[in-house]
Amino acid sequence: MTLCFATNNRHKLEEISALLGDNFTLKTLKEIGCAEEIPETRDTIAGNANQKAEYIWENYQVSCFADDTGLEVDALNGEPGVYSARYAGEERSAAANMKRLLANLEGKKNRQAQFRTVITLALDGVYHDFEGIVRGEILTEPRGTGGFGYDPLFQPLGYDRTFAEMPMDEKGTISHRGIAFAKLIAFLKSSA
Ligand code: IMP
């Protein structure tokens, strides 16, 4: 089965390709002739994942999947959510985003939060969503040098280390994205 992964992140593509095995061929956006930026204008994480998969299916008629992720903080009514990448502005700086998050949480007792990933699969024009959530808390200062984004501030429930203090494969087994991709892979393998 040939599928396009609607991402420009080469690292994500290689990782998923290895997990899917030989029955699946993953194509990049470039390989299907998509060089333009895919619109991501909806106001929910699931909406953006849906929008990206729909765009590829409708414009290229290639079965595909797309993912979208956000950090949802309880005391901030689910913010930054769909705006996680540009919380502190269009320059998408992880350091500035973390600074803004810490400022907005100052004085708040409840620091519980979750990462949510939604993957939309468009398989021959039929859409399926897969969700992964990991609960945790936002620390008062960053810890660790691994990972990316909000990782130095996020300590998953039941752990005494942040995502930025974990080896990548350990994070991958418990993370929002890891959970969502495991569901996608199980579905694809069962329908191959
Ligand atoms: P994307 O949808 O995977 O591009 O994620 C959107 C934004 O959410 C990123 O720019 C990061 O700010 C944040 N984010 C997504 N996944 C993670 C993660 O695993 N750790 C920390 N931050 C993340």
Side-chain angles (χ1 to χ4, degrees):
M1 191 188 295
T2 298
L3 285 167
C4 170
F5 183 7
T7 180
N8 286 312
N9 184 330
R10 182 90 228 165
H11 178 73
K12 273 192 196 172
L13 195 108
E14 280 167 11
E15 212 173 87
I16 300 307
S17 209
L19 291 173
L20 277 171
D22 294 342
N23 285 336
F24 296 88
T25 308
L26 275 199
K27 290 204 164 179
T28 62
L29 287 168
K30 212 166 143 198
E31 283 166 339
I32 65 161
C34 175
E36 70 275 22
E37 204 170 316
I38 303 176
E40 268 184 77
T41 55
R42 305 250 175 101
D43 59 5
T44 62
I45 293 162
N48 273 347
N50 294 169
Q51 187 181 24
K52 288 186 270 188
E54 279 163 19
Y55 181 89
I56 298 300
W57 175 253
E58 285 168 12
N59 291 282
Y60 295 91
Q61 282 76 52
V62 175
S63 287
C64 65
F65 56 90
D67 69 328
D68 203 62
T69 295
L71 174 67
E72 300 174 327
V73 180
D74 294 2
L76 302 177
N77 300 317
E79 269 188 30
V82 74
Y83 305 108
S84 294
R86 53 209 144 102
Y87 194 35
E90 281 306 323
E91 73 277 13
R92 296 170 176 249
S93 151
N97 287 341
M98 286 196 288
K99 205 170 156 199
R100 173 152 191 224
L101 179 62
L102 287 177
N104 288 348
L105 275 177
E106 213 168 300
K108 303 234 191 265
K109 272 212 177 87
N110 179 0
R111 302 186 70 94
Q112 295 192 24
Q114 62 186 26
F115 276 112
R116 181 200 301 269
T117 293
V118 176
I119 301 169
T120 300
L121 169 70
L123 193 58
D124 295 324
V126 181
Y127 294 91
H128 308 265
D129 277 2
F130 304 91
E131 186 178 71
I133 288 177
V134 60
R135 298 280 305 165
E137 67 174 307
I138 305 299
L139 304 184
T140 51
E141 52 187 49
R143 273 198 347 232
T145 53
F148 70 102
Y150 299 88
D151 277 349
L153 286 180
F154 186 84
Q155 183 166 284
L157 199 67
Y159 290 79
D160 59 5
R161 287 164 296 144
T162 66
F163 269 167
E165 293 175 304
M166 289 182 182
M168 207 163 57
D169 56 347
E170 187 181 3
K171 178 188 167 191
T173 58
I174 59 169
S175 79
H176 44 299
R177 205 174 357 266
I179 294 167
F181 272 107
K183 289 181 185 172
L184 170 76
I185 288 163
F187 178 86
L188 284 172
K189 286 191 169 168
S190 72
S191 56

